[in-house]
Amino acid sequence: GPTSAKGYNHTDQYIHLTDEKPADNMYPVISHPEQEQQAREKLAALEAKVGKKPNILVFLLDDVGWMDLGFNGGGIAVGNDTPTMDKLANEGLILTSAYATPSCSPTRATIHTGQNPLHHGVLRPPMYGEPGGLEGETTMPSILQQLGYVTQGVGKWHMGENQGSLPQNVGYDDFRGFLGVSDMYTEWRDTYFNPEVALSPDRFAMMEKETFNHNEVHCSPADTSKCEDLRLIDLDTIKQLDEDWMKYSIDFLKRMKGSEQPFFLYHATRGCHFDNYPSDKWAGRSRARTSYGDCIVQMDYILDQLVKTLEEIGELENTLIFLTSDNEPECEIPPHGQTPFRGCKGSSWEGGVRVPTFAYWKDMIAPRKSEGLFDLADLFNTSISLAGKPGKEVAEFVDDKTYIDGIDQVGMLLSDNGQSARRSRPYTLNQYWAGLRIDEFKFVWTGEIEDGIVQR
Ligand code: CA
C-alpha cells in the first residue's frame, strides 16, 4: 500500500537515460567507459601472456527451455541433472534476460549477422528445401577469418541450403553437420508418430524425393558449389549425430593445440529438438527417463567433454564459452522442455524467446547473475570486439546501408559487476515487429493469442 518511503534505484535501470548510436547504422547503447577500459586492460594483459586473441566457443542448444538447466532452477528438479552446465554457469555470468527469436533459423542468422530478422530477412525456418538464408550477408565468422581466426562449424546449420548460404561460403573453414533441422529427416520415417506417411509407400517415396539434402554433410572451401554427403540420416543414424559431432569438435580442438591462430568454434547441437531418439548409451539416463530428459543429460556430457579438451590443450584460460538456446521450448510435441514464462517456441512472449544463457571464461569473468538485457545479436559485435574491433569499429566490415542490431557487450562480460550496454531490446514475430523491452517494461505491438495474431 501507500508508503512514505523513497524506494530504491538499481544500477541497471535505464528507462530514464538516453542511449546513443555508436554509428548511424548501429543500435544505440548506454556507454560505460570505465567498464570498457577495465575490460580492455584485462584483454590486453591476457593477450600479452598468451600471444594471440581469445578463442570463442558458442555452444548452441536447440529448443531447450529457460528452466531445463539446473542453473536456472531446473536440472535435477525437472528430471535431468546438468552438473557441468551448472558448474560453469555458477563460475561465470548467468544472463537471466538473454533473448533469441521465436524460432531456429531467425536466431541462428541473428547470431551470424548481428541483425534482427526484419533486417537479415530469415523470418522463419526454411523447410524441406525452401530457399532463404545467409546469401549476401556479412557474417561473424567471415569477419573473424579476416581477423586471423580459424573458423569451425559443427552440427545443425538450418540457415539455408542454397549455394550462397552454405557454411563454406559464409565464413567457415570447415563444417560438418546437417543443413536442415532434426525432424525434417525423421518425422516422415517414424511409423509411431506419423503413420499416415511412414506407412504409405507412395507418400514415403514422395518424401524421399523432396529436394532437400537428406544426408549428414561435410562442407569445405575446397568445393564452394556443394557439400559432400557423408551418410543418410534416418531413425538409426540420427541417434549417433550428437556423439559424432562432439568427437569432431574434440578433434578440431586437439588440432588447435599450440596454434598461433585463435579459433571460433560454433558447436550447434541436434539436441534437444523434437523428435529425440536417444542412443542405447543414453536411453534412460535421465531421472525423467524421457527421450527429452535423456537428451539434456547427453548435452551436459558433451559440453563437459569439450571443456575437458580445452583444458587438455591448454586453451581454457584463453576461451570464452557461451552457452545458449536458439528459442524457448517447443510445447506441442511432448516430451519437451520447461520455461517459467508465458508462451513457447514460435511466440514472442517471454516463454518463446528468453533463453537459458551463460558466459564462462576462466579467471576473466567474475561469477554472478545479471538481469541486464542481452540479445543474441550481441554475440556478433562482442565476438568481433574480442577479435580486436571494439564498439563502432565493427561497422568497418559492412556497408552503411546495413544496420547492425547487435551491441558490443565485452564491458558487461569482463568488468567487475559489469552492466549491460543495452537499454532496449526489440522483439520480432515472423514478419512482424512484435515489441520492445526496456528495463522490466515490455510494450507489445504484435502478440499471439489463442485465436490468432493481433496487432495494435
Ligand atoms: Ca530451435
Coordinates of all heavy atoms in Angstrom, one line a residue, residues 61-63 103-104 108 156 273 326-327 345, ligand 1:
L61 N 22.3 -24.8 -28.1 CA 21.3 -25.8 -28.0 C 20.1 -25.5 -28.8 O 19.9 -24.4 -29.2 CB 20.9 -26.0 -26.5 CG 22.0 -26.3 -25.5 CD1 21.7 -25.9 -24.1 CD2 22.3 -27.8 -25.6
D62 N 19.3 -26.5 -29.0 CA 18.1 -26.4 -29.9 C 16.8 -26.7 -29.1 O 16.6 -27.7 -28.5 CB 18.2 -27.3 -31.1 CG 17.2 -27.0 -32.2 OD1 16.4 -26.1 -32.0 OD2 17.4 -27.6 -33.3
D63 N 15.9 -25.7 -29.0 CA 14.6 -25.8 -28.4 C 14.7 -26.2 -26.9 O 13.8 -26.8 -26.3 CB 13.7 -26.9 -29.1 CG 13.2 -26.5 -30.4 OD1 13.7 -25.5 -31.0 OD2 12.3 -27.2 -30.9
S103 N 12.1 -18.6 -33.3 CA 12.4 -20.0 -33.8 C 13.8 -20.1 -34.3 O 14.6 -19.1 -34.4 CB 11.4 -20.3 -35.0 OG 11.6 -19.4 -36.0
C104 N 14.2 -21.3 -34.8 CA 15.5 -21.7 -35.0 C 16.3 -20.8 -36.0 O 17.3 -20.1 -35.6 CB 15.6 -23.1 -35.6 SG 14.6 -24.3 -34.8
R108 N 19.6 -18.2 -35.5 CA 20.9 -18.6 -36.0 C 21.5 -17.5 -36.9 O 22.7 -17.1 -36.9 CB 20.9 -19.9 -36.7 CG 20.6 -21.1 -35.6 CD 20.0 -22.3 -36.2 NE 19.5 -23.1 -35.1 CZ 20.1 -24.0 -34.4 NH1 21.4 -24.3 -34.7 NH2 19.5 -24.6 -33.4
K156 N 24.1 -28.5 -36.3 CA 22.9 -28.0 -37.1 C 23.2 -26.7 -37.8 O 23.6 -25.7 -37.2 CB 21.7 -27.8 -36.1 CG 20.5 -27.2 -36.8 CD 19.4 -27.1 -35.8 CE 18.2 -26.4 -36.4 NZ 17.0 -26.3 -35.5
H273 N 16.0 -30.9 -30.1 CA 14.8 -30.6 -30.9 C 14.0 -31.9 -31.1 O 14.6 -33.0 -31.2 CB 15.3 -30.1 -32.3 CG 14.2 -29.5 -33.2 ND1 13.2 -30.3 -33.7 CD2 14.0 -28.3 -33.6 CE1 12.5 -29.5 -34.4 NE2 12.9 -28.3 -34.4
D326 N 18.5 -21.7 -29.1 CA 18.0 -20.8 -30.2 C 16.6 -20.3 -30.0 O 16.2 -19.4 -30.7 CB 18.2 -21.6 -31.5 CG 17.3 -22.8 -31.6 OD1 16.7 -23.3 -30.6 OD2 17.1 -23.3 -32.8
N327 N 15.8 -20.9 -29.1 CA 14.5 -20.5 -28.8 C 14.1 -21.2 -27.6 O 14.7 -22.2 -27.1 CB 13.5 -20.6 -29.9 CG 13.5 -22.0 -30.6 OD1 14.1 -22.2 -31.7 ND2 13.0 -23.0 -29.9
K345 N 8.1 -21.8 -27.8 CA 8.7 -21.6 -29.1 C 7.6 -21.1 -30.2 O 6.5 -21.6 -30.2 CB 9.3 -22.9 -29.6 CG 9.8 -22.9 -31.0 CD 10.3 -24.3 -31.4 CE 10.8 -24.3 -32.8 NZ 11.4 -25.6 -33.2
Ligands
CA1 CA 15.1 -24.3 -32.3

